[in-house]
Amino acid sequence: GRVAPRTTAPSTSFLSSKRSQATRDAYGRDLAAFVAHLGGDSGDPHAVSRALLAADVAAVGSWRDAMIAAGHQPASIQRRIAALRTFYRFAESAGLGTGNPARLVESPRVEAARQKRPYIETAEAAKLLAAPNIETAQGARDRAILGLLAVSGLRREEVAGLCGLDVEIGEDAAWATVDGKGGKTRTVGVDADTADALLRFLRLTGRLLKKDGPLFIGRDGKTRLSPRMIDHLVAGYARRA
């Protein structure tokens, strides 16, 4: 009789879903490295898939710890763990898995950033957001900027680059579309207090949200705020808070 054709391995299907050959190669190396850490056959796509789908949070965590001990750079470790997260999302959408063990493993880059750069806790962020006087146009503008940074998670360059057409404020939700790092466009949610501050700023300055051109301007009413100016703005309110 005829031999039944072997089905495509989930890891192979996952890699095939990526358009770029460079992306496929990078993800393939990352998945194979994880399986090799587990002691599996990293050269057989079906063995790779079985090992990936059987792995748990402890397995991913042990791989991260092993990479740290081996001296891998935090950015490389973050990329490898991100590759696992992406695979498990693909597996879930294809009905092949019931969880994403990599989602619960913190990348060392986050820990390193906390050690190297100042960061604030939730209570401190609340004090910072309360520092501007939103009764004035400048204070309302600054409150909106701080909210986009602290709550929506935008980078200073993304906030500086916003135009009036990039923000939508509806009755129940608000969002901003930004051109992010690496030329990638993404849409983020804007919380109600930040949206209210932005509307107040526009109302006090007689400007329209739908208008093209810079959203946040300086005291001259024309010049776009630069990332450096936003740096000074945040530092000033941090001292005040």
Side-chain angles (χ1 to χ4, degrees):
R2 291 187 300 174
V3 177
R6 198 177 188 186
T7 58
T8 303
S11 60
T12 302
S13 299
F14 166 68
L15 296 175
S16 299
S17 69
K18 305 303 175 185
R19 293 183 180 181
S20 166
Q21 181 62 49
T23 300
R24 291 195 291 270
D25 291 344
Y27 277 136
R29 288 192 297 269
D30 294 339
L31 297 183
F34 177 52
V35 172
H37 167 76
L38 299 177
D41 182 1
S42 59
D44 178 0
H46 288 277
V48 167
S49 298
R50 287 194 297 270
L52 288 170
L53 295 175
D56 57 13
V57 176
V60 180
S62 71
W63 186 41
R64 177 203 59 189
D65 294 343
M67 288 188 286
I68 293 174
H72 290 276
Q73 292 297 314
S76 298
I77 300 173
Q78 182 191 47
R79 190 203 71 240
R80 285 184 163 187
I81 294 177
L84 287 185
R85 294 190 187 111
T86 305
F87 168 78
Y88 287 120
R89 283 198 298 268
F90 173 86
E92 282 187 295
S93 66
L96 301 173
T98 58
N100 190 333
R103 182 177 61 84
L104 300 176
V105 176
E106 185 177 25
S107 300
R109 187 181 182 91
V110 175
E111 298 166 0
R114 288 176 175 173
Q115 294 170 2
K116 294 179 180 178
R117 303 189 190 102
Y119 71 99
I120 57 176
E121 302 288 357
T122 302
E124 295 172 320
K127 291 181 181 179
L128 180 64
L129 294 174
N133 176 13
I134 62 172
E135 297 302 320
T136 68
Q138 181 177 336
R141 180 204 68 182
D142 295 350
R143 172 59 182 80
I145 290 173
L146 292 174
L148 289 170
L149 292 167
V151 182
S152 297
L154 298 188
R155 299 180 178 89
R156 58 181 180 175
E157 291 83 1
E158 293 171 338
V159 174
L162 283 173
C163 294
L165 294 174
D166 296 330
V167 179
E168 294 282 344
I169 299 179
E171 293 183 3
D172 301 318
W175 56 95
T177 301
V178 297
D179 295 323
K181 197 173 182 179
K184 296 180 180 179
T185 300
R186 73 183 196 281
T187 300
V188 299
V190 178
D191 66 286
D193 290 338
T194 298
D196 288 344
L198 178 56
L199 290 175
R200 180 185 291 268
F201 161 62
L202 295 172
R203 185 171 65 251
L204 292 174
T205 56
R207 301 174 67 227
L208 299 175
L209 188 63
K210 291 290 186 179
K211 186 178 180 181
D212 196 8
L215 179 60
F216 296 118
I217 54 178
R219 293 181 180 179
D220 62 2
K222 299 177 182 179
T223 306
R224 180 190 296 273
L225 287 184
S226 67
R228 185 175 181 82
M229 295 168 72
I230 292 177
D231 265 348
H232 289 307
L233 181 154
V234 173
Y237 283 112
R239 287 191 295 271
R240 186 181 305 180

